[in-house]
């Protein structure tokens, strides 16, 4: 029996929701990492998320995927790429570089993803698709104030780790698609979290050994709950679900909406002014995303 593909609008809605959740996460994560060491928090939220995912899989009576090493072997690689290297290099990289450098360099994720799927022959390259990526990329660089990028010796380690984070996630998006199409998304998410919790906890062991519990305020509690339920469980599951139903490059380019969401939140929550620069960059980003989606739709219709 062939599974019916979900409505394309549902996929686009899920991709937009992911960026909204990540945009909110930039705000609430600042509260959490001011109280907890970054790697320790990454480890803790993945451990808690793993426990919740196991409970969900058992409660829903999902049949566990079979296949032995054919199932568990690739999961080790995908967990390394999509969780362990991705999160650790981003958080540690952010510690050793500037916020401006981190924000600008993270725009390389869609670029790396497009290059990887093109070189690997997974997706065709069309003028419309390339143009869409370029327009969105320029829009993000305008919004992120690329002129503030400073590749000095003082930030070199952090910059390289941030680039490693982008490359790692680009490989994950490119190569995990076929695996996610074949296997149950709930159990796949569960095992990716379980593997990720082992790897991140190993990296965070020195911080666990010296950790002292901070004062837990209502604000900190709320931010932690969102970090686990919204920014980890829901975002990762939706990412895996959309990746199974659309092109890797289409999933990647929606990352360019994150700075637009962050700017909108800064305007609505903190009263920051929307400048001409913000409006122009947002228009470029949306135009590029639409071009890529149109190109993907045309390719799927082509026999």
């Amino acid at each position: 029996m062939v599974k019916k593909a979900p409505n394309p609008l549902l996929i686009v809605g899920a991709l937009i929701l992911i960026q909204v959740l990540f945009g909110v996460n930039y705000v609430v994560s600042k509260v959490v990492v001011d109280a907890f060491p970054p790697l320790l928090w990454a480890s803790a939220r993945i451990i808690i998320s793993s426990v919740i995912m196991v409970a969900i899989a058992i409660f829903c009576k999902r049949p566990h995927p079979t296949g032995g090493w054919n199932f568990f072997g690739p999961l080790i690689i995908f967990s390394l790429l999509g969780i362990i290297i991705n999160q650790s290099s981003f958080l540690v990289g952010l510690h050793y570089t500037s916020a401006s450098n981190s924000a600008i360099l993270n725009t390389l994720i869609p670029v790396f993803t497009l290059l990887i799927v093109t070189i690997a022959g997974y997706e065709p390259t069309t003028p419309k698709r390339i143009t869409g990526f370029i327009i969105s990329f320029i829009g993000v660089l305008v919004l992120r104030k690329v002129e503030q990028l400073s590749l000095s010796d003082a930030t070199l380690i952090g910059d390289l780790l941030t680039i490693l984070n982008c490359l790692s996630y680009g490989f994950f998006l490119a190569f995990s698609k076929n695996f996610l199409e074949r296997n149950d998304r709930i159990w796949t998410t569960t095992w990716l979290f379980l593997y990720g919790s082992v790897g991140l906890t190993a990296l965070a062991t020195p911080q666990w050994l010296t950790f002292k519990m901070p004062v837990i305020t209502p604000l900190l509690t709320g931010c932690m709950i969102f970090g686990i339920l919204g920014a980890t469980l829901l975002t990762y599951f939706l990412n895996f679900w959309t990746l199974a139903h659309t092109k890797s490059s289409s999933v990647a380019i929606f990352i360019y909406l994150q700075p637009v969401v962050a700017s909108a939140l800064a305007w609505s929550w903190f009263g920051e002014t929307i400048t001409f620069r913000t409006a122009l960059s947002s228009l470029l980003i949306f135009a590029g995303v639409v071009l890529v989606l149109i190109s993907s739709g045309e390719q799927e219709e082509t026999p």
Side-chain angles (χ1 to χ4, degrees):
M1 181 179 178
V2 179
K3 293 182 180 179
K4 184 179 179 181
N7 190 307
L9 291 178
L10 188 61
I11 296 174
V12 171
L15 287 168
I16 293 175
L17 177 58
I18 291 168
Q19 310 318 319
V20 172
L21 292 170
F22 273 133
V24 175
N25 189 47
Y26 281 124
V27 178
V28 302
S29 286
K30 178 62 178 173
V31 176
V32 179
V33 297
D34 281 346
F36 293 89
L39 281 179
L40 184 145
W41 169 238
S43 166
R45 74 179 190 174
I46 288 292
I47 290 174
I48 297 171
S49 297
S50 299
V51 173
I52 295 174
M53 282 305 304
V54 169
I56 291 174
I58 294 174
F59 178 79
C60 294
K61 298 181 180 179
R62 307 287 290 200
H64 193 281
T66 58
W69 184 250
N70 289 330
F71 175 73
F72 289 103
L75 279 174
I76 297 175
I77 299 173
F78 295 142
S79 180
L80 279 170
L81 293 173
I83 296 180
I84 300 170
I85 297 176
N86 169 245
Q87 287 204 24
S88 61
S89 59
F90 168 74
L91 290 171
V92 178
L94 184 60
H95 178 73
Y96 287 104
T97 190
S98 65
S100 296
N101 278 21
S102 179
I104 294 168
L105 291 174
N106 269 290
T107 62
L108 291 172
I109 293 176
V111 176
F112 283 152
T113 304
L114 180 63
L115 287 174
I116 293 166
V117 296
T118 301
I119 293 172
Y122 291 158
E123 297 182 22
T125 301
T126 65
K128 191 174 290 184
R129 176 183 289 266
I130 297 299
T131 301
F133 268 89
I134 292 174
I135 291 175
S136 286
F137 186 60
I138 292 173
V140 173
L141 293 183
V142 170
L143 184 60
R144 293 299 198 186
K145 299 181 180 179
V146 68
E147 70 274 10
Q148 295 182 5
L149 179 66
S150 175
L151 299 178
S152 66
D153 291 340
T155 63
L156 179 61
I157 293 176
D159 294 336
L160 291 177
L161 285 171
T162 303
I163 293 172
L164 175 62
N165 150 63
C166 298
L167 188 60
S168 173
Y169 200 63
F171 272 108
F172 171 78
L173 290 177
F175 291 108
S176 64
K177 175 176 171 57
N178 291 336
F179 182 85
L180 292 169
E181 287 177 343
R182 297 193 307 266
N183 293 288
D184 182 85
R185 251 74 74 191
I186 289 182
W187 273 116
T188 299
T189 305
T190 300
W191 280 104
L192 281 170
F193 280 179
L194 287 169
Y195 281 141
S197 65
V198 173
L200 287 173
T201 301
L203 291 173
T205 296
Q207 295 182 353
W208 278 111
L209 293 175
T210 59
F211 173 65
K212 293 183 180 179
M213 182 64 69
V215 176
I216 304 298
T217 64
L219 175 62
L220 179 59
T221 300
C223 291
M224 290 168 63
I225 291 173
F226 177 84
I228 294 168
L229 299 181
T232 304
L233 278 168
L234 189 54
T235 50
Y236 269 97
F237 178 78
L238 288 176
N239 247 330
F240 299 156
W241 180 79
T242 54
L243 193 55
H245 294 295
T246 191
K247 296 180 182 297
S248 300
S249 58
S250 297
V251 174
I253 198 172
F254 270 81
I255 293 173
Y256 283 150
L257 294 181
Q258 287 184 25
V260 177
V261 172
S263 297
L265 290 173
W267 167 72
S268 61
W269 290 4
F270 305 117
E272 293 186 9
T273 304
I274 295 181
T275 63
F276 173 76
R277 182 175 191 144
T278 303
L280 174 62
S281 61
S282 298
L283 180 62
L284 289 170
I285 292 167
F286 279 113
V289 170
V290 169
L291 265 180
V292 171
L293 291 178
I294 292 174
S295 174
S296 298
E298 291 173 349
Q299 291 167 19
E300 289 174 358
E301 292 175 3
T302 302

